[in-house]
Amino acid sequence: MICDVNVYLSRWPFRRLPCDSTPELVSKLKRNQITRAYAGSFDGLLHKDIRAVNQRLYDDCKSQGANLLTPVGSINPTLPGWEDDVITCHEQWKMPGIRLHPNYHEYELSSPAAKKLFAMAAEREMFIQIAMRMEDDRTQHKLMRIPDVNFESLPGLMKEQDGLQVTILNGMKSLRGASLTRLTENPNLTIEIAMLEGVGGIENLMQQVPYEQILFGSYFPFFYLESSLNKLKESQLGMEIEKQITWENAQTRFANT
């Protein structure tokens, strides 16, 4: 069994992607032994009607990905009434977590709104996913130059909310060295492997990050699903560690949210 914590539904704003319709995406996941996928929505990046974005996400997961897709709602704390979006995700749609894109929504994790958002998620026992980037800066549209998320304030935010589970998505292109070590000192912080590069990448990552804090993520359909699956084959993990990374770590952290 494989749990993919980094999947997106709907359309990437700047070009069509293979498998960017939900039926195609679900079929591809099933063919590759993905038995659970935490799905956000590309619409959450630029759409202002976040409630409608999350309603479509919930409906698609329910009608076309039942028992496979778990919706993770988008929240934009710069919009009026964002607190109601958190409440609706949790109480109406029973979403276990929320997905944030601070760089697209133009706020810092040090902002008062981010602090309040983290507190709300912790109170409701929802996990938080934060996408560090969505595409390589070399391929960005010239009118949409989006910097990586600054995680300097994240350790402090998490320290204030003991028990809150936070996952960084698409971070392994940029996070390394002391900055990665500082983040992963908190055992409730996890990272996924979609943007991890290099042969034996997971083995190398485990020299710096405990395997209990590493999750399987593909960033499908923006990336080829096979890319992340091949990362498992390129590293000599052993059956038990591979099982932890591909399934048990996510289930242990998110099952009760």
Side-chain angles (χ1 to χ4, degrees), residues 2-153:
I2 300 177
C3 176
D4 191 336
V5 302
N6 186 8
V7 168
Y8 278 83
L9 303 189
S10 195
R11 302 279 173 79
W12 176 245
F14 303 104
R15 61 183 172 90
R16 292 297 304 271
L17 303 172
C19 297
D20 65 2
S21 72
T22 304
E24 290 179 295
L25 179 139
V26 167
S27 177
K28 179 82 168 183
L29 291 173
K30 288 181 176 179
R31 291 198 306 272
N32 286 275
Q33 288 76 53
I34 308 298
T35 49
R36 176 168 295 177
Y38 289 92
S41 174
F42 283 131
D43 295 348
L45 298 178
L46 302 178
H47 290 214
K48 289 187 176 181
D49 189 350
I50 293 296
R51 182 184 176 89
V53 168
N54 290 330
Q55 177 74 68
R56 290 193 298 273
L57 174 67
Y58 171 80
D59 290 344
D60 275 359
C61 290
K62 184 82 170 178
S63 63
Q64 302 181 66
N67 302 317
L68 172 63
L69 297 178
T70 298
V72 182
S74 296
I75 299 296
N76 181 351
T78 69
L79 295 176
W82 65 265
E83 298 93 340
D84 291 336
D85 292 326
V86 176
I87 294 169
T88 301
C89 285
H90 181 236
E91 296 185 2
Q92 180 173 333
W93 296 315
K94 311 300 181 186
M95 294 180 181
I98 53 180
R99 189 170 290 184
L100 308 181
H101 304 92
N103 45 357
Y104 280 80
H105 297 156
E106 296 187 304
Y107 67 94
E108 296 290 336
L109 293 177
S110 58
S111 69
K115 185 174 182 178
K116 184 176 182 180
L117 174 53
F118 270 62
M120 287 188 70
E123 180 182 3
R124 293 172 176 273
E125 297 184 339
M126 303 174 78
F127 63 78
I128 290 178
Q129 296 182 330
I130 309 173
M132 184 172 189
R133 58 163 56 183
M134 298 299 286
E135 63 177 326
D136 192 298
D137 52 10
R138 294 169 296 181
T139 65
Q140 291 178 352
H141 191 284
K142 65 180 181 180
L143 298 179
M144 288 289 292
R145 300 296 186 187
I146 310 296
D148 287 350
V149 174
N150 183 348
F151 286 114
E152 184 176 349
S153 302

Side-chain angles (χ1 to χ4, degrees), residues 197-210:
E197 295 182 344
V199 176
I202 301 178
E203 283 183 272
N204 295 332
L205 179 61
M206 285 167 50
Q207 296 178 18
Q208 191 170 1
V209 180

Side-chain angles (χ1 to χ4, degrees), residues 225-236:
L225 179 58
E226 292 83 358
S227 175
S228 284
L229 293 170
N230 285 336
K231 291 180 175 68
L232 300 172
K233 301 175 183 178
E234 292 170 351
S235 290
Q236 300 298 317

